[in-house]
Amino acid sequence: MVIQSTLSTHSLSVVLPRAIQSEMVTVSVKKGDKLNIVADAWHMENDCHYEWQVYFAPGDADMPSVRARFAPDGKLTITVQRRVPGQTSGYGRGPLGTRF
């Protein structure tokens, strides 16, 4: 997984094997500015499970702004807006999960 950051956005991207379909990918926001990404091809036995945990600095990421895109070529791109110091957020409403 490649993570790039600008002054306004964190961008995470990875190209998954063709066996991984969009419905096999789960992106979830967890307490403590943590992002969990799981890709699991349950019908395979080898090279079928991928998992990442990304921790952002406290208050740096606007967690409700998490957006994920899964391209036909298997590229998963996740963007997270960075918070401006002093900015309030809607975060704290509990875990949020996105299934494609």
Side-chain angles (χ1 to χ4, degrees):
M1 176 163 291
V2 175
I3 301 174
Q4 297 178 320
S5 298
T6 66
L7 292 175
S8 62
T9 308
H10 295 292
S11 178
L12 303 81
S13 61
V14 64
V15 177
L16 295 166
R18 291 217 178 261
I20 302 285
Q21 302 297 310
S22 61
E23 63 271 9
M24 300 172 184
V25 178
T26 302
V27 176
S28 58
V29 172
K30 301 291 186 178
K31 189 187 299 186
D33 295 329
K34 183 170 76 170
L35 190 63
N36 281 357
I37 303 106
V38 177
D40 195 10
W42 53 85
H43 64 287
M44 296 175 53
E45 292 187 27
N46 296 314
D47 298 323
C48 59
H49 183 81
Y50 303 87
E51 188 167 347
W52 298 268
Q53 291 185 340
V54 179
Y55 295 84
F56 297 101
D60 180 56
D62 184 23
M63 299 308 279
S65 76
V66 172
R67 299 292 178 263
R69 291 182 307 271
F70 191 81
D73 66 356
K75 183 175 184 179
L76 174 65
T77 303
I78 302 166
T79 56
V80 184
Q81 297 300 312
R82 296 184 81 174
R83 292 177 59 194
V84 175
Q87 172 187 357
T88 58
S89 171
Y91 188 63
R93 295 179 288 200
L96 168 71
T98 301
R99 299 241 352 136
F100 294 95

